Amino acid sequence: LVDVANDGVQALEFVKRTRYDALVTDMRMPGMNGAELLRELRRIDNGLPAVLLSAYSHDDQLRMARRDGLLAVLSKPQQIPR
C-alpha cells in the first residue's frame, strides 16, 4: 500500500489511520518540514522506518531528524529508476 500526502499534516493523518512499512518524505514542505513531521510521527508510531529526501545534507533540521530516529537521508536530486 502506498499513499501520497500533500503535506506533513496529511501524512500524520494517514499514519493515525493506517500501519505503514516505511515513510519517505521530503525535507522542505508546506506547513511543516520533514524533521518536524518525523518528530510528530514518533508520538504515533515510534518504530516506523523513515527516509528523508533533502538537497541540504548539513542542515540543522537533519541533525534533529537523526536524533529522532531517521533511518537515512537521500540527496536530491535522486536518480531512482521507475
Side-chain angles (χ1 to χ4, degrees):
L1 172 65
V2 174
D3 287 318
V4 177
N6 294 317
D7 56 36
V9 173
Q10 187 178 30
L12 287 174
E13 290 302 316
F14 286 167
V15 172
K16 287 177 184 175
R17 294 190 312 259
T18 304
R19 175 86 171 120
Y20 292 97
D21 294 325
L23 170 80
V24 178
T25 186
D26 197 355
M27 175 55 102
R28 310 265 183 214
M29 302 182 291
M32 77 172 61
N33 66 43
E36 293 166 335
L37 170 60
L38 183 59
R39 173 152 293 175
E40 292 299 316
L41 174 75
R42 291 296 172 233
R43 296 176 189 194
I44 300 167
D45 186 341
N46 196 34
L48 181 65
V51 175
L52 199 142
L53 292 157
S54 179
Y56 309 97
S57 61
H58 298 291
D59 191 287
D60 287 338
Q61 296 293 321
L62 285 177
R63 282 189 282 281
M64 181 177 85
R66 285 185 180 105
R67 284 193 305 268
D68 286 330
L70 182 65
L71 181 65
V73 176
L74 299 177
S75 299
K76 286 185 358 184
Q78 190 60 236
Q79 301 300 320
I80 300 173
R82 284 185 159 263

